[in-house]
Amino acid sequence: MKEAAALPPPWGVAVESVDSADARALLREYYTEVADRYYALHENRRSTSGEIERGLAEYPPGYLAPPDGVLLVARRGDDVAGCVGVRLLDARTAELKQMFVRAARRGRGAAGVLLVAAERVAAELGAERLRLDTRLDLVEALALYRRHGFSEIAPYHDDRYAEIFFEKRLSAICAERSERLSGGRRGRGRTGC
């Protein structure tokens, strides 16, 4: 009888400080990749180290830190795969930021696990909807967001690099959270979505 191949353990996702070495490395890789893809498409070149440094400096300290935001990192043991940020735009709207999976880890489910974790965190922050922006050339991201139920919406800001905007209502997650907070009683939880 043929032995079945062992499945790899699942990806674990945890909140991590943006100041940790792993988080800093992931955010630099993220920014380098999206900048390189942008400049390759529009200027037929790669980004410079100065452009990367200036781009990273645009994210202020505390940008993805409690109480209004978090950075999530996906790992399988010591294997750091990717990250995603969630921050509140207002009391009922969260925004997805810096969704990234390292190229060598893509196609192994980490992006989906990160996205589901981000939706749950957004709901725990009190958001009823999760928004994001991206670029049209980031086709893998577009496919991921659509596959996970995000719908295209009108622009909600005017960043020059944002070409398409999405939103997902978190009603199912909010209902589950409300049920959990109310101890099974009907109605919204004390701090529900």
Side-chain angles (χ1 to χ4, degrees):
M1 185 151 140
K2 190 174 182 181
E3 269 187 52
L7 293 174
W11 293 107
V13 176
V15 173
E16 186 147 342
S17 168
V18 295
D19 295 323
S20 77
D22 286 338
R24 284 193 317 269
L26 286 165
L27 291 170
R28 178 173 294 282
E29 288 175 50
Y30 159 81
Y31 198 83
T32 300
E33 180 172 329
V34 297
D36 280 350
R37 288 175 71 164
Y38 176 85
Y39 287 117
L41 180 65
H42 296 283
E43 298 181 16
N44 199 30
R45 66 175 180 90
R46 294 178 60 109
S47 56
T48 66
S49 60
E51 288 165 334
I52 298 301
E53 293 307 319
R54 283 189 300 279
L56 288 169
E58 290 179 14
Y59 301 107
Y63 173 69
L64 294 174
D68 295 326
V70 297
L71 181 72
L72 301 171
V73 173
R75 289 184 170 78
R76 184 178 279 150
D78 292 333
D79 183 14
V80 180
C83 64
V84 64
V86 177
R87 68 179 184 141
L88 285 176
L89 294 176
D90 61 47
R92 298 291 182 221
T93 309
E95 184 177 38
L96 193 76
K97 300 302 292 179
Q98 283 85 21
M99 176 75 182
F100 175 71
V101 174
R102 288 176 163 153
R105 306 298 179 269
R106 293 179 189 160
R108 299 179 185 174
V113 169
L114 278 166
L115 193 51
V116 168
E119 291 171 6
R120 189 162 302 284
V121 165
E124 289 170 0
L125 289 171
E128 295 173 350
R129 61 190 158 265
L130 182 58
R131 289 183 169 175
L132 65 95
D133 66 75
T134 191
R135 296 194 328 245
L136 294 171
D137 64 302
L138 301 176
V139 295
E140 305 90 342
L142 296 172
L144 175 71
Y145 301 137
R146 288 182 173 126
R147 194 168 54 248
H148 281 263
F150 283 79
S151 300
E152 191 172 341
I153 61 169
Y156 60 92
H157 64 75
D158 62 353
D159 182 294
R160 74 180 214 169
Y161 299 109
E163 298 173 322
I164 187 168
F165 298 80
F166 288 96
E167 179 177 282
K168 182 175 182 178
R169 296 287 175 171
L170 301 175
S171 54
I173 295 170
C174 290
E176 175 187 308
R177 180 173 182 263
S178 183
E179 176 87 7
R180 191 173 61 248
L181 290 172
S182 68
R185 296 182 307 271
R186 288 234 181 258
R188 293 172 69 124
R190 290 171 283 128
T191 60
C193 298

